[in-house]
Amino acid sequence: MPTLKILDGYRFFFYSNDHDPPHIHIEKDNKTAKFNLVPVELVKSQKFNASELKKIRIMVEDNVEFFKKEWNEFFND
């Protein structure tokens, strides 16, 4: 499961056998979330509170082009 970035302790990654649509997984401590990349939207979350999800969403939006590029390079090459 390739780690793409670690920002403020949040690990952004995808699984090597992931599936469409393009999305990113996030974890910190024992908390997890998944966001689709196009459009950026929360798919699911476990244990993150609303303020953490807002912060994560902003980080995903700020890095969405990078995440899409990495997804496409990994899964389409």
Side-chain angles (χ1 to χ4, degrees):
M1 70 181 103
T3 297
L4 303 180
K5 283 194 179 221
I6 297 176
L7 300 169
D8 200 21
Y10 296 91
R11 184 170 79 100
F12 294 80
F13 65 99
F14 51 73
Y15 293 99
S16 59
N17 63 343
D18 248 333
H19 53 82
D20 282 333
H23 58 275
I24 192 79
H25 296 269
I26 303 96
E27 69 178 16
K28 184 176 183 178
D29 303 324
N30 288 326
K31 305 171 193 177
T32 62
K34 176 182 171 183
F35 278 81
N36 281 342
L37 298 176
V38 181
V40 174
E41 62 184 3
L42 177 65
V43 175
K44 65 180 177 179
S45 172
Q46 292 183 330
K47 301 182 183 177
F48 283 121
N49 64 38
S51 64
E52 288 175 302
L53 289 171
K54 181 178 179 181
K55 180 178 182 176
I56 293 167
R57 181 186 185 92
I58 291 168
M59 289 188 278
V60 172
E61 289 171 343
D62 288 348
N63 291 278
V64 71
E65 293 305 317
F66 170 76
F67 294 146
K68 288 190 302 187
K69 180 180 87 52
E70 292 295 315
W71 176 280
N72 287 329
E73 286 178 6
F74 190 85
F75 292 106
N76 296 328
D77 283 349

